[in-house]
Structure formats: C-alpha cells, structure tokens
Amino acid sequence: MKLLIADDESKLRQLLSDFFKSEGYEVALAADGREALEIFNAAPEDVSLIILDVMMPYVDGWRVCKEIRKTSRVPIIMLTAKSEEADELESFEKGANDYIPKPFSLNVLLARVQARIEKPAAASEPANVLRYNGLVIDQDTHEITLDGKPLNLTPIEYEVMVLLIRNKGKVYSREQLLSLVWGYDYYGGDRTVDTHMGRLRSKLNDFGVKYLKTIRGYGYKLDN
Amino acid sequence: MKLLIADDESKLRQLLSDFFKSEGYEVALAADGREALEIFNAAPEDVSLIILDVMMPYVDGWRVCKEIRKTSRVPIIMLTAKSEEADELESFEKGANDYIPKPFSLNVLLARVQARIEKPAAASEPANVLRYNGLVIDQDTHEITLDGKPLNLTPIEYEVMVLLIRNKGKVYSREQLLSLVWGYDYYGGDRTVDTHMGRLRSKLNDFGVKYLKTIRGYGYKLDN
DNA sequence: AGCCATCGTGACCCAATCGTGAAATAGCGG
DNA sequence: CCGCTATTTCACGATTGGGTCACGATGGCT
C-alpha cells in the first residue's frame, strides 16, 4: 500500500513519512502541488491513497484534488489549517473523501486512512523479542519471563539485561555499563553496578548464577 | 440499500450522490418532483429512503411527500432552505420523518439517514468493532460498553482506549501517547497523561485496575 | 452571557527504586 | 595458609516516578 503525502512543511512531511512507514505503508513525498501531480501521474496505479495539505506553493491542495479527480477516484484526504475552516461541503465538493483540520493527532489520521484502504500487511512486524536460555524479553510489551514465569525487573535491571543479552559473551566494564545504561554523563561510584548485578542475580535465580558471570578485574558478561 | 435523492440543483445532487455512494449506498437521482415520483412508482420496493428537496420545479417536495404517503411508509427526509424554517411542523404533518435545513453538513445528513434505515451492505466494511475482555468499542457509532453497560468516555479517553486496545500489550511512553493521541505538535507536561489514565481507570472500574497497567519508568499498556 | 463537560497543571503523598558506604566474603598469587 | 584486592551483600537514606486531588482554563452548547 503506497501513500502519496504532499505537504510543504518539511518537518511535518518527515513526521508523517516516518509514522506511516512505521505502520507498514510505503510512502511517497511531495513538497508542493506540482510535485504531487507529477508523482501521481507518473504511476497512478501505485498510489492507494493521497494526503494533501491545502496550503502549498505553486499549486494548492484544492487544485491538485480537482486535477486528480479528472482521471482517478483514488481516495484523497485533505489537511486544512484551522484558520481556513473551509466549508466541509466545499471539501467534499471538490472530490476529497475526507478532510482533517490541523493540528490533528496521528492516531486519528491513521484511522481515517485505514477507513479508506485495506490495512497493510500489519503482521509484518517482526515482534521485538530477545531469547536466551529460557529467558525471554519482549521489548514491545516489556514482559520478561524466565522459563515461562514472569519476572519483575526494575528499569535499570531491565536495561542491563537487554544490553547483555543483545551482546552475549561480551565483557562490559563497570564504566561501560554505567555509561551505556545509566547515561554517558552519569557520575557516581561503580559499586552501584555491583549492587544491581547482585539484585539481578537474585531475581534470576539459577539463571543468574549460571550465566551472569563476573570477570574479575574487568567487569561482567552474559556467558555464551 | 437504495436511496432516492431528488434535488433540482445538479451540483448538490451530484455531491450527495457521490457522498452516499462512497458510504456504500446505492443511489437513484431525480432532478424534480415528477421524476422522483416516476422512479419511486416504478419500483417502490427497491427504495429504502427518500431525500427530497422542498423547492423543486413542476412538483415540489411537499407534493411528492404527500403522494408517496398515500401508498407507502418509506422514510422521507426533507431538505428545506433556511428561509423556510417555519415549515418544520408542516413537514411532519405532511408525513416526512425528518427535515434538515440547508445548508447542512454531510455528516449530519448521513447520521439522520442511518437513523432511519439499517446500515448498508456492511459487506465492504467489516463492522468496525474492537473487543477485549468484556469491553466493546464500536468505532462506527463511537459507543463503548463494558459488560454490556454503556460507558461515557471523553474524546481523549476514547482515543486512548482505542489505541491501547488496538495494540494490546504494547507499552506506550507518555511521549508516544501524547503525540499519538493529543497530536504531533502537542506541547505540555506529561503528568497530563497520568491524570487521564487515572480517570480512565476509575471509569473502567475493575477492568481498569486489572488491565490498564503502569510500567514504571516506561509508560502504560493494556495487559495481555 | 452563562452553564457544563472536559482538559491541563501543579501540589502533595506514597511506594518503588536507586546509590552509597561499610562489613563480609571470595579469589588469587605467593 | 596468608595477605591483598576485587567482589558481594546488606541496610539505610535519598531520589524518583506515579496516583490523586483540586483548581482554573477552555470551549461547546443553549
């Protein structure tokens, strides 16, 4: 599913692009009406839906909408500035399928888009899950289970585990851990790391003592 | 579901036609009262609802309405010019089921139409309903019920619930919620989110405390 | 204009979490 | 086995994050 998004504000354009891409859509961008028409006419069949800002240089959204309607019934959603409280009727008259006043919430926009076209291969999301010897970390739901039993880790513990599991076997010094997990500008003693490792080990039980290794003189690692 | 729309203004006729077609209705058009009666009498059973402009040449809307009422109880909605406001009573007297002053918003008209007849071939739209543990959200009617009992959620609460229920389990940070629900350019403290979550929880009662989880340090999620 | 629902914010409180130092323990080389 | 150092453990006070509340602002509706 390909969306054509036309807006002259580059920041908003980027935001929308990122957002819809993250929702699984293909996105083509236009900075003004002329560009939008060019892109559309180059491959009308590829475009499943068009989002048009009303206010654009050279050729405004209304014009684009009218032009496209001469040759196509592709769904069009107009974005109108609040001040332009354009007549809803006028919007539909020009052939738009929907219109949304700025500012809008991405959620609403997404809903409107989905109402117009089939949902894209939503299942394409690769489910953000890390696994390691019975330990499962789902980064979307923030759920951690060990052999199926849920664990309750604090934010720091969680971050440490994610880091270590992502780099199984790699040894991290206390300084590295502090800067990676706590933040590059963290200022504090490195006994802190020990304490947290201890807490992790006790929560992880067997798993902890078995795999969370101390490398004397260097730091910690998750055994391979 | 077939609508018969009679209006002598060709522009408005076309607009209404397009609009209702895009909403999934079948549409028959008449440019004046005579035509409307002809079409209706040719196949009275096919017409589910009639939209009549009052001001039409040859035979006006009132006449059409009266004629049809002699033989049928099909729902009739009258469109009246603003200046004719006084006609409301007369309108019902003549047998119309509803009347709408011009200019009107398409959404209002659609709502009135839907109130009179069943929703059309939902075939194209797979009934936009979200369900989760006794909570039912109908995105078409914006109705939310919990164990059958209707809930009264504010717009923000509604959007939040829709978002969370659509992505069960996924953790949303306050920032994400703000940009997804409030709008990409919302600028404000994130304690706001807490407050709304609190309100949601209290409205959702047991359900709230049971499933609307706080992930300390990260945000909120709807438990799985 | 006035009313009412909704919203945003700051203040306050509580509980979870964190950081620290000190004491206890373990590892390691001789 | 000894002594030294690194690590673990522990307890406690400090900090942070979240829940709740009340108030004022806002905006739609009558």
Side-chain angles (χ1 to χ4, degrees), chain A residues 173-185:
Chain A
S173 71
R174 293 173 175 68
E175 290 71 27
Q176 285 177 308
L177 286 172
L178 282 172
S179 85
L180 287 170
V181 173
W182 276 254
Y184 63 90
D185 59 351

Side-chain angles (χ1 to χ4, degrees), chain A residues 120-159:
Chain A
S124 67
E125 301 215 20
N128 231 340
V129 179
L130 299 172
R131 287 164 201 279
Y132 174 78
N133 274 84
L135 185 69
V136 179
I137 304 185
D138 184 323
Q139 293 186 86
D140 288 329
T141 66
H142 265 258
E143 258 162 13
I144 302 195
T145 57
L146 181 57
D147 298 327
K149 290 182 288 295
L151 287 181
N152 187 16
L153 299 191
T154 70
I156 286 185
E157 289 157 8
Y158 177 89
E159 295 296 340

Side-chain angles (χ1 to χ4, degrees), chain A:
Chain A
M1 293 290 165
K2 187 166 173 181
L3 309 184
L4 172 54
I5 301 177
D7 194 307
D8 59 318
E9 247 183 277
S10 73
K11 215 172 133 196
L12 177 57
R13 203 165 59 232
Q14 201 52 50
L15 172 74
L16 292 175
S17 170
D18 290 347
F19 175 68
F20 280 107
K21 278 179 182 169
S22 82
E23 289 292 327
Y25 294 87
E26 209 179 326
V27 177
L29 295 178
D32 58 63
R34 189 194 316 273
E35 215 180 313
L37 283 171
E38 273 170 22
I39 293 174
F40 179 75
N41 289 326
E45 300 312 317
D46 288 354
V47 178
S48 309
L49 183 145
I50 302 177
I51 297 175
L52 284 177
D53 189 15
V54 168
M55 276 255 284
M56 286 188 297
Y58 311 126
V59 183
D60 72 22
W62 300 126
R63 282 282 301 282
V64 176
C65 184
K66 264 168 85 173
E67 286 300 318
I68 288 174
R69 275 287 169 272
K70 285 180 184 169
T71 62
S72 167
R73 290 171 41 98
V74 61
I76 297 179
I77 294 178
M78 306 290 297
L79 305 179
T80 76
K82 199 175 201 169
S83 57
E84 302 166 5
E85 297 262 328
D87 200 342
E88 188 172 350
L89 273 178
E90 187 181 359
S91 185
F92 286 108
E93 216 168 290
K94 294 251 171 51
N97 298 89
D98 211 338
Y99 94 114
I100 300 180
K102 286 183 181 181
F104 48 84
S105 95
L106 290 176
N107 210 18
V108 166
L109 178 56
L110 176 62
R112 304 285 186 95
V113 168
Q114 285 175 345
R116 295 292 161 193
I117 61 179
E118 307 311 318
K119 227 193 161 182
S124 67
E125 301 215 20
N128 231 340
V129 179
L130 299 172
R131 287 164 201 279
Y132 174 78
N133 274 84
L135 185 69
V136 179
I137 304 185
D138 184 323
Q139 293 186 86
D140 288 329
T141 66
H142 265 258
E143 258 162 13
I144 302 195
T145 57
L146 181 57
D147 298 327
K149 290 182 288 295
L151 287 181
N152 187 16
L153 299 191
T154 70
I156 286 185
E157 289 157 8
Y158 177 89
E159 295 296 340
V160 170
M161 274 315 298
V162 168
L163 177 67
L164 292 181
I165 215 171
R166 264 190 168 144
N167 305 69
K168 305 190 242 289
K170 169 157 185 176
V171 179
Y172 285 97
S173 71
R174 293 173 175 68
E175 290 71 27
Q176 285 177 308
L177 286 172
L178 282 172
S179 85
L180 287 170
V181 173
W182 276 254
Y184 63 90
D185 59 351
Y186 180 78
Y187 193 68
D190 53 6
R191 310 287 75 232
T192 298
V193 177
D194 300 273
T195 300
H196 281 282
M197 284 305 186
R199 298 208 247 246
L200 252 181
R201 282 194 178 121
S202 72
K203 284 190 183 178
L204 293 176
N205 230 338
D206 300 342
F207 182 99
V209 298
K210 204 159 162 192
Y211 300 112
L212 248 189
K213 294 280 177 65
T214 303
I215 310 300
R216 194 183 172 82
Y218 295 97
Y220 299 91
K221 75 165 180 176
L222 196 61
D223 218 1
N224 239 340

